[in-house]
Amino acid sequence: MEEYNTYTTPLTSRYASREMSHLFSREKRINTWRQLWLNLATAEQKLGLNQITDEAIQQLMEHVQITAPEFETAAKEEKRQRHDVMAHIYTYGLAAPAAAGIIHLGATSCFVTDNADLIFLRDGMDILIPKLVNVIHRLSQWSMRYKDVPTLGFTHYQPAQLTTVGKRATLWIQELLWDLRNFVRARNDIGFRGVKGTTGTQASFLALFDGDHDKVEELDELVAKLSGFDTVYPVTGQTYDRKIDIDVLQPLASFATTAHKIATDIRLLANLKEVEEPFEAGQIGSSAMAYKRNPMRCERICSQARYIMNLIPNALNTFSVQWFERTLDDSSNRRSLIPEAFLFTDSVMKILLNVISGMVIYPKVIEKHVKAELPFMATENIIMAMTKHGASRHECHEQIRVLSHQAGRVVKEEGGDNDLIERIKKTAYFEPIHNELDSLLDASTFVGRAPEQTESFVNKHVAKALGPLKHMITEERVDLAV
């Protein structure tokens, strides 16, 4: 006997879209059950079960959308029977009396619960994929806009060789492209449980069709087709395999790690005052410190992303303890797990798109930071320039080393600006290149192929990945309540 399992609205994120929230609403769930019962009856009638009349099919069609009073009826019946599926079969039968005796014919509860979940997994991916496409598209535009702006690279979060603002963004985009690949792959791999019976043997359907195996197979395929699926899992137990949940939720968690990393990078850059997320005219950053402009949206992304990432061990554990043809300790768990994974991913996607759409940079601050470190980075170029004037590389290296350490002490111990170039200008040894120092310190000469890499990546790789999905791209504004 199955446990008493009322579907309840899951804990949701405030930024989940109406579309995603509706997908996991109780109305959508029960309407999907009713559609599945209609599909089953339609297919059974077509394959020769004469007890299913045209009147029964017509009444099922007319009442495929549950009403508010019917929810009340189902709730009362569920309280009596302690079984949600049976309560809704009873309620649907009251609305469609000509079909009351044939609703759910040959099926087990998992015919509606599991097939509905597969529909929700598929449709959830169909909601998320276009949003991810737009995140990639807008970040690519942003990357191209700033492809030529030199900025400090960081390794170990210490200043390193220069890159460009746009090139850094391509690293984020590449990770998002991998997420898009994983989303599409997972979505396209989702199949249909179909009509398999209580332990997956289809014994009840074989009895209905008087031992006709071909008709049972045809029934399986026809119900799947009516439900919008081309693929039916060839074998199941009572449920569809819970490994499918892992295959679908893992890409969501992987995307969450990408979003967390991007948001963290933006938060770190915001601390340097180089990059900032959107900030509304009347927005308050702190109740105590009026000057603050906290990266609240990126912090929210990180918070929700961690929640998504930590749902995966739950899915792994649930799959691992499914005994034989099924056990029911997965049911109430998954009724929160799956909706929350999609609702929070939808929320993170929306906030990320908002941040990217309104993200700004402060070129003067970036330039200031570059100038503070560039003298040290330019030392190799200075040495090479001196050798062209006949200087010894070894002697020049020693001169630079001494001056660099002196300048480093000014920066670290005195809190002053990096004065290495001024020291070089005052040192007679470097007189042969004094007139070349400005050109040797041109930041654009230190970024390597960053602008060209950015342009090539966006125009080739991003364009190729988004090409088949370009119809999903929109320039619609993404607003958030603070």
Side-chain angles (χ1 to χ4, degrees):
M1 178 177 176
E2 300 196 19
E3 68 174 12
Y4 173 58
N5 253 339
T6 304
Y7 178 76
T8 56
T9 303
L11 181 67
T12 62
S13 166
R14 63 186 291 195
Y15 292 121
S17 65
R18 290 182 180 179
E19 190 178 17
M20 190 66 82
S21 296
H22 174 68
L23 180 63
F24 291 102
S25 66
R26 66 171 189 167
E27 290 81 7
K28 179 65 174 179
R29 172 166 289 266
I30 302 308
N31 289 341
T32 302
W33 286 8
R34 288 191 172 191
Q35 184 63 55
L36 287 165
W37 280 319
L38 171 60
N39 293 346
L40 177 62
T42 300
E44 288 175 332
Q45 184 197 49
K46 183 176 181 179
L47 293 174
L49 294 189
N50 296 326
Q51 63 266 48
I52 302 175
T53 64
D54 290 342
E55 183 184 11
I57 297 296
Q58 184 61 35
Q59 289 184 5
L60 290 175
M61 291 176 63
E62 290 172 354
H63 297 280
V64 76
Q65 302 290 320
I66 191 170
T67 65
E70 288 173 340
F71 265 120
E72 294 179 5
T73 299
K76 292 176 182 177
E77 190 63 20
E78 183 176 356
K79 187 174 183 180
R80 184 182 72 83
Q81 295 192 24
R82 315 299 286 183
H83 198 294
D84 56 349
V85 173
M86 289 299 294
H88 279 282
I89 291 172
Y90 170 81
T91 304
Y92 199 11
L94 292 179
I102 57 91
I103 297 172
H104 201 69
L105 187 60
T108 188
S109 295
C110 286
F111 168 71
V112 287
T113 58
D114 276 42
N115 282 320
D117 281 344
L118 290 166
I119 290 170
F120 301 149
L121 293 177
R122 179 198 63 191
D123 292 355
M125 280 298 192
D126 286 343
I127 293 171
L128 292 176
I129 289 171
K131 295 183 179 182
L132 182 52
V133 166
N134 279 280
V135 168
I136 294 168
H137 171 66
R138 295 199 190 180
L139 188 54
S140 297
Q141 291 178 319
W142 193 89
S143 176
M144 289 292 283
R145 189 178 308 135
Y146 300 116
K147 67 183 176 66
D148 296 312
V149 179
T151 189
L152 286 176
F154 291 101
T155 58
H156 312 274
Y157 200 40
Q158 302 299 311
Q161 187 175 14
L162 299 189
T163 183
T164 68
V165 173
K167 168 61 194 315
R168 173 176 285 144
T170 64
L171 303 181
W172 301 337
I173 297 167
Q174 181 167 247
E175 291 156 358
L176 291 167
L177 286 175
W178 290 330
D179 291 321
L180 178 61
R181 173 204 62 191
N182 294 341
F183 275 39
V184 172
R185 179 187 296 163
R187 186 258 182 255
N188 291 339
D189 280 350
I190 297 171
F192 196 62
R193 175 192 174 273
V195 291
K196 297 296 194 294
T198 55
T199 59
T201 66
Q202 298 177 308
S204 57
F205 297 104
L206 191 62
L208 280 174
F209 287 100
D210 298 322
D212 191 330
H213 292 269
D214 291 337
K215 280 196 174 182
V216 174
E217 288 190 9
E218 192 175 351
L219 177 70
D220 208 8
E221 294 173 1
L222 182 54
V223 173
K225 184 177 180 180
L226 290 170
S227 303
F229 286 84
D230 295 325
T231 302
V232 186
Y233 295 123
V235 293
T236 72
Q238 187 176 100
T239 68
Y240 74 80
D241 201 298
R242 298 312 182 216
K243 201 171 187 69
I244 303 302
D245 293 344
I246 298 171
D247 290 348
V248 175
L249 299 189
Q250 186 68 53
L252 306 190
S254 184
F255 162 74
T257 66
T258 302
H260 196 295
K261 180 186 182 300
I262 293 171
T264 300
D265 283 352
I266 295 171
R267 291 166 66 189
L268 293 170
L269 292 170
N271 174 261
L272 299 175
K273 297 180 173 60
E274 292 188 359
V275 175
E276 203 165 64
E277 67 177 35
F279 198 89
E280 309 302 331
Q283 184 174 332
I284 296 174
S286 168
S287 62
M289 295 167 280
Y291 63 88
K292 294 199 76 178
R293 293 168 68 99
N294 298 329
M296 296 166 56
R297 300 176 196 199
C298 286
E299 290 173 321
R300 190 170 291 121
I301 288 171
C302 291
S303 177
Q304 295 185 8
R306 286 199 305 275
Y307 189 88
I308 300 164
M309 290 152 56
N310 282 290
L311 292 176
I312 289 303
N314 189 343
L316 295 171
N317 288 328
T318 295
F319 164 68
S320 70
V321 296
Q322 292 306 290
W323 304 344
F324 306 111
E325 281 65 48
R326 94 150 302 174
T327 180
L328 200 63
D329 60 0
D330 64 329
S331 181
S332 57
N333 180 310
R334 293 173 63 256
R335 292 188 183 209
S336 290
L337 170 67
I338 294 174
E340 288 181 9
F342 277 91
L343 286 160
F344 274 92
T345 301
D346 186 64
S347 175
V348 168
M349 202 87 74
K350 183 177 180 180
I351 303 170
L352 184 59
L353 185 57
N354 173 266
V355 169
I356 290 168
S357 298
M359 188 163 57
V360 297
I361 72 167
Y362 295 104
K364 293 297 183 182
V365 177
I366 295 173
E367 183 181 4
K368 179 183 177 181
H369 292 157
V370 168
K371 286 183 175 179
E373 301 294 337
L374 193 57
F376 293 141
M377 298 178 189
T379 54
E380 183 66 20
N381 287 5
I382 292 171
I383 292 172
M384 292 300 100
M386 284 293 293
T387 62
K388 291 179 181 179
H389 288 274
S392 162
R393 185 194 182 284
H394 178 74
E395 184 179 354
C396 187
H397 185 279
E398 179 60 20
Q399 291 278 347
I400 288 286
R401 185 188 69 81
V402 172
L403 295 178
S404 296
H405 287 189
Q406 292 172 354
R409 279 194 294 272
V410 170
V411 173
K412 295 176 181 178
E413 297 177 14
E414 300 176 17
D417 294 332
N418 188 334
D419 64 357
L420 175 59
I421 299 305
E422 294 304 314
R423 290 176 184 275
I424 291 174
K425 287 180 178 180
K426 293 176 182 178
T427 302
Y429 177 82
F430 291 101
E431 188 173 352
I433 64 163
H434 281 174
N435 293 334
E436 301 174 36
L437 285 174
D438 287 343
S439 62
L440 291 173
L441 289 168
D442 181 358
S444 65
T445 66
F446 287 82
V447 299
R449 297 191 62 252
E452 291 77 16
Q453 285 181 327
T454 303
E455 194 166 346
S456 175
F457 177 74
V458 171
N459 291 337
K460 293 181 181 179
H461 299 279
V462 176
K464 181 180 179 181
L466 298 191
L469 307 172
K470 62 183 178 181
H471 61 282
M472 299 179 179
I473 294 173
T474 174
E475 300 302 331
E476 181 181 349
R477 178 182 170 88
V478 181
D479 292 319
L480 295 179
V482 177

